[in-house]
Amino acid sequence: MKKRILPALLALCLLLVCLLPGGAAAADDVCFISVNDTLLELSSSAYTAGGVTYVPYTAFNYFQINSTYFSSSSTAMLYTTERQLFLDISQGYSFDAAGTRYEAQALFHNGQVYVPVGFVCSFFGLNWSYISGKGYGDLCRIKDAGVQLTDSKFFAAATTLMQRRYNAYKNALTPQPEPSVTPEPADPIESHSDTAVTLSFEGLPDEAVLSALQAWSVKACFFLSAEQIRQAPDTVRRIVSAGHSVGILCAAADPAGSYEEASSLLFEAARVRTVLVGAPAAADAAAVRAAAEQAGLVFWSYNVDGVLGGEGLSYTGALLSRLDAARSRADIRLLCNARLGQLLGTVLQHLKDYEFTIHVPNEINAPA
């Protein structure tokens, strides 16, 4: 009798293991990661094992939490100037700079160091949430005080992008069948070729922004103040040599004076002149526009706002929705900040995928 019971118990245990999170039944699951209002690529995905959700330790770099790995001791380190956390992968525990030991452990997954998201968030004062998906992946969301959208609003804004990335990921994993003799026609792309798009930026771009524009062969206009041109003439020369336009941000208190100063500095730095002017804030637009008309300059406005009162983009969902709703013209203005380089590729890919007609911002095709 005992000989019959033991195999049955072993079979039952095996079945239960397969049904637990992280078991065989969940091995094919996809879980996106977002940091505040930014959805990361699926190359950085979360996964669950033993009821614990793990993320790559590099996901915390977004929050100025540095990461490094010491191969000699098989130890990962996450640290800021105030706190340091060490995760000993070989021993299966972690400890802080004071030597306090914790049971949380890191591990290797797909060749990367993964850490328990709940424990790391608690250690560094962050929040996180897990959102169940709708057939195209779940979402692990890491947040700090800078988050703008609630989980439900962010999930709604990111839905289209998640679905597109999920399908691309699954297609890459699935062996493609041999084409049939009479293949079914593919669904047509939702073309926006009737929508003219111009792309302008406010402020000095970093390497990531300029590289993204070059990779997607998109020309834009950078609106700069006199101080920014004075501060970084090398960057101004690089903007011009790459074929982009330059506009002047004019102060509402003295539009003519600020234009003359910046225009002189622009010519000194890059030997170019411009008639394009913009306002540094929405409240200044009327005064700058009136001064531009009086001086024979071209005021460049925008109807897709990625400046957002000086905050800039922290996610792309709302902006992409505005683009899709545009009928004839979309003039986009983006703020150059530390996050833009992470998001610009998604915007440019969307413009290409949906066949928007991209124009170079200049005095000929200025907004009405």
Side-chain angles (χ1 to χ4, degrees):
M1 181 66 176
K2 291 181 178 179
K3 292 181 179 180
R4 294 180 181 177
I5 293 175
L6 184 58
L9 288 174
L10 289 174
L12 178 60
C13 289
L14 179 60
L15 176 62
L16 289 173
V17 168
C18 291
L19 293 177
L20 285 172
D28 195 40
D29 287 349
V30 173
C31 184
F32 288 86
I33 299 172
S34 71
V35 286
N36 278 350
D37 302 298
T38 299
L39 184 71
L40 302 186
E41 297 284 348
L42 267 177
S43 54
S44 295
S45 58
Y47 89 108
T48 300
V52 178
T53 300
Y54 293 83
V55 298
Y57 74 154
T58 53
F60 294 95
N61 295 166
Y62 179 94
F63 301 101
Q64 285 72 55
I65 299 173
N66 303 297
S67 58
T68 191
Y69 176 70
F70 304 100
S71 57
S72 59
S73 59
S74 190
T75 300
M77 178 182 178
L78 290 169
Y79 61 98
T80 65
T81 54
E82 293 82 20
R83 304 212 71 186
Q84 299 82 44
L85 176 65
F86 303 87
L87 300 107
D88 190 322
I89 297 177
S90 60
Q91 298 298 319
Y93 65 90
S94 55
F95 55 95
D96 61 21
T100 305
R101 175 168 168 164
Y102 307 92
E103 295 306 314
Q105 57 182 312
L107 42 81
F108 282 108
H109 178 69
N110 291 335
Q112 299 184 68
V113 176
Y114 270 66
V115 295
V117 62
F119 171 73
V120 174
C121 284
S122 176
F123 186 88
F124 287 102
L126 303 174
N127 296 307
W128 76 288
S129 53
Y130 193 97
I131 306 170
S132 296
K134 301 177 180 178
Y136 44 83
D138 296 340
L139 177 63
C140 174
R141 194 175 185 212
I142 307 171
K143 300 165 284 189
D144 67 4
V147 68
Q148 297 181 17
L149 299 179
T150 63
D151 284 349
S152 59
K153 288 184 178 179
F154 175 77
F155 190 72
T159 294
T160 301
L161 187 57
M162 287 177 62
Q163 189 167 15
R164 185 187 309 148
R165 290 181 180 175
Y166 176 86
N167 290 336
Y169 172 80
K170 286 298 184 181
N171 289 337
L173 295 180
T174 304
Q176 298 299 311
E178 292 294 327
S180 60
V181 178
T182 56
E184 292 292 327
D187 292 335
I189 295 175
E190 184 184 353
S191 175
H192 288 264
S193 58
D194 292 337
T195 303
V197 170
T198 62
L199 185 61
S200 63
F201 296 87
E202 187 172 306
L204 292 163
D206 59 15
E207 177 66 31
V209 170
L210 291 173
S211 296
L213 291 171
Q214 181 180 10
W216 290 95
S217 301
V218 171
K219 303 302 181 187
C221 181
F222 290 88
F223 284 86
L224 306 174
S225 65
E227 181 57 33
Q228 289 165 339
I229 298 172
R230 184 183 294 109
Q231 170 190 341
D234 289 342
T235 301
V236 175
R237 284 190 285 272
R238 184 174 176 190
I239 291 171
V240 172
S241 65
H244 303 299
S245 304
V246 176
I248 303 299
L249 283 178
C250 296
D254 183 15
S258 57
Y259 171 78
E260 289 299 331
E261 180 186 8
S263 181
S264 176
L265 290 168
L266 175 61
F267 186 78
E268 180 181 335
R271 291 297 184 268
V272 295
R273 298 194 184 278
T274 183
V275 297
L276 303 179
V277 298
D284 301 332
V288 176
R289 181 190 290 274
E293 292 175 353
Q294 184 176 358
L297 303 174
V298 177
F299 180 79
W300 193 279
S301 60
Y302 53 92
N303 57 15
V304 179
D305 185 4
V307 178
L308 300 174
E311 294 296 324
L313 285 182
S314 59
Y315 64 98
T316 58
L319 182 137
L320 298 183
S321 297
R322 289 282 305 278
L323 282 174
D324 291 341
R327 289 294 174 262
S328 60
R329 178 158 183 155
D331 295 293
I332 308 169
R333 177 73 55 83
L334 301 175
L335 179 69
C336 289
N337 60 14
R339 296 180 181 179
L340 182 60
Q342 306 170 15
L343 304 172
L344 184 57
T346 299
V347 176
L348 297 176
Q349 180 176 349
H350 188 84
L351 292 173
K352 293 290 187 179
D353 287 347
Y354 290 88
E355 301 179 343
F356 286 87
T357 300
I358 303 174
H359 292 297
V360 180
N362 55 42
E363 61 272 21
I364 298 173
N365 55 34

